[in-house]
Amino acid sequence: MTIDDAPRDALRGGPRELLRWVATGAAVSRADLSRLSGLSPSTVSQRVEALISQGLLEEAGAGRSRGGRRPRQLAVPTGGAVVGAIDLGAHHARVGALDLSGRVVQARTLPVRIEDGPEAVLGALLAEVASLVDRDPAAGARAVAGDSAPGALRGIGIGIPGPVQHSTGRIVSPSRMPGWNGFDVAAFCAGRVDVPVVVDNDANLMALGAHRTAHSELDHAVYIKAGTGIGSGVISSGRLHRGAQGSAGDISHCRVVADPAPPCTCGNAGCLEAVASGAALVTALREQGVPVSDLTGVIRLIDDGDRQATALARQAGRAVGEILAVVVNFFNPQVVAIGGRLADCEPLLASMRATLYERCLPLAAQTLLIERVAAGQDVGITGAAHLVIDHVVAAA
């Protein structure tokens, strides 16, 4: 069992959780950490000193005295961009440089052509990450492997819009990424940068970023990413759940009852992605004679109240709701949140919500939150940064 898959209680008070409590402001001193974790002051002090020696925590002056010696306050270093992040999509990528608290220091969106292949696409994006870090005056010099100075690049997190075997960083049978099948992203990047590179599915990174940003107090959550494709990430016991091979949460090829069943890129028919994704909406509108070229055009039509586009969005919302109802009844999460470009499509969201409440068991829906992901366009790179930070803490 890896540290990523360990039960939450088993890691209570572990270095990763101590760092997170300080980063979120839940703790500002060793005494606070001891109270939250239930660990002895000496154990907490040992773990804090280890984090300080690695440059992951720092002492930021003395706090308020409560009758004894003034406690030394703790903080996460925020002096520079030390984590690189790439959130790759089918047509664009969000690239960022973040600090150890997960705060975005520099970020930009770049157009990409996924069909150009992994070497060209990833090579350009890695160069952009290096450029962003170099532009940050507090980031220090170039990346140096193993350098724990606060300004050194610590690692790069990459989100891929397809199935990823997280343990190896290899892409497995992606449906919309010609030339990427079997590509070892981690090995490719290791030959070009001198820092750790962690790779995961983009929906998983959205889930991690959204959970750390908005729902860190909740133990069980499902986050849906609905854009050109469709997928989801699962948080279980407060941690990202990947399953045995890394495919947990992949709802895109769950079958939706549809007649006639449209063909899917996976080779089957009637999959959720073939019915409810942005690409599916584009295809359906074209078949109805509506001249639309991409998802942006679909959303524009829906915003303008186009009858055909709105009807298709409602159908897509019902399809997503039907699949999620099974997930909610089985998994019983506390929140279901939808992100991606289709999250702002009100007819889809309303239809999804109505279907969920209709199909879910009363007990499962009793306190269920159904909402949009609120973290904005940086949610993916935020999740990628936290993946790197967790990796660095585990290694330290």
Side-chain angles (χ1 to χ4, degrees), residues 29-391:
S29 68
R30 290 170 175 79
D32 290 339
L33 292 174
S34 181
R35 173 178 52 81
L36 288 169
S37 66
L39 298 174
S40 68
S42 60
T43 299
V44 167
S45 183
Q46 289 174 353
R47 295 181 179 181
V48 167
E49 292 302 322
L51 290 170
I52 290 175
S53 69
Q54 292 291 327
L56 300 171
L57 281 180
E58 65 182 9
E59 293 182 328
R64 180 182 300 176
S65 173
R66 296 185 177 180
R69 187 169 53 185
R70 297 173 68 189
R72 288 173 292 175
Q73 287 190 309
L74 300 171
V76 174
T78 57
V82 296
V83 178
I86 298 170
D87 183 18
L88 177 62
H91 305 294
H92 67 277
R94 185 73 174 168
V95 179
L98 300 88
D99 65 23
L100 283 174
S101 71
R103 180 181 66 89
V104 177
V105 178
Q106 301 265 358
R108 62 176 302 199
T109 299
L110 301 171
V112 299
R113 285 170 40 89
I114 205 78
E115 61 270 23
D116 287 344
E119 292 93 345
V121 171
L122 292 174
L125 294 178
L126 288 173
E128 184 62 29
V129 168
S131 176
L132 287 178
V133 173
D134 287 342
R135 287 179 211 164
D136 176 33
R142 54 186 170 80
V144 179
D147 188 351
S148 62
L153 185 67
R154 299 301 189 90
I156 299 172
I158 302 177
I160 300 292
V164 175
Q165 190 175 45
H166 176 71
S167 60
T168 64
R170 189 180 296 275
I171 301 173
V172 182
S173 301
S175 60
R176 298 181 184 277
M177 303 176 69
W180 291 69
N181 183 38
F183 189 77
D184 192 333
V185 176
F188 173 82
C189 296
R192 286 157 178 77
V193 295
D194 293 325
V195 293
V197 175
V198 287
V199 186
D200 211 329
N201 172 262
D202 61 343
N204 278 347
L205 295 190
M206 187 199 74
L208 186 61
H211 187 256
R212 296 280 176 89
T213 302
H215 300 122
S216 60
E217 77 286 359
L218 300 181
D219 288 330
H220 311 295
V222 175
Y223 296 92
I224 303 94
K225 185 171 185 179
T228 301
I230 190 166
S232 74
V234 178
I235 301 292
S236 178
S237 297
R239 300 192 177 278
L240 186 61
H241 176 70
R242 297 187 178 89
Q245 294 295 325
S247 67
D250 191 349
I251 61 174
S252 57
H253 300 292
C254 293
R255 183 176 172 84
V256 179
V257 176
D259 188 23
C264 182
T265 54
C266 72
N268 289 320
C271 296
L272 182 63
E273 183 167 298
V275 174
S277 67
L281 296 180
V282 171
T283 299
L285 282 170
R286 286 176 177 171
E287 290 175 350
Q288 294 181 17
V290 179
V292 62
S293 60
D294 53 23
L295 182 54
T296 299
V298 174
I299 294 173
R300 187 180 301 117
L301 287 172
I302 294 170
D303 289 342
D304 290 341
D306 179 84
R307 177 178 58 83
Q308 292 167 287
T310 300
L312 286 171
R314 292 189 184 280
Q315 291 175 17
R318 282 193 292 273
V320 174
E322 287 176 6
I323 296 300
L324 288 180
V326 177
V327 173
V328 169
N329 285 334
F330 178 80
F331 178 55
N332 191 201
Q334 294 154 297
V335 61
V336 169
I338 182 169
R341 297 185 67 194
L342 285 175
D344 293 327
C345 177
E346 190 58 43
L348 185 148
L349 189 62
S351 187
M352 183 194 82
R353 182 182 286 114
T355 303
L356 263 176
Y357 282 128
E358 177 187 347
R359 299 292 182 90
C360 289
L361 295 170
L363 184 59
Q366 193 172 52
T367 60
L368 179 67
L369 298 174
I370 305 173
E371 60 187 37
R372 291 185 178 91
V373 170
Q377 65 178 342
D378 288 334
V379 64
I381 60 172
T382 299
H386 280 290
L387 198 66
V388 173
I389 294 166
D390 288 350
H391 177 84

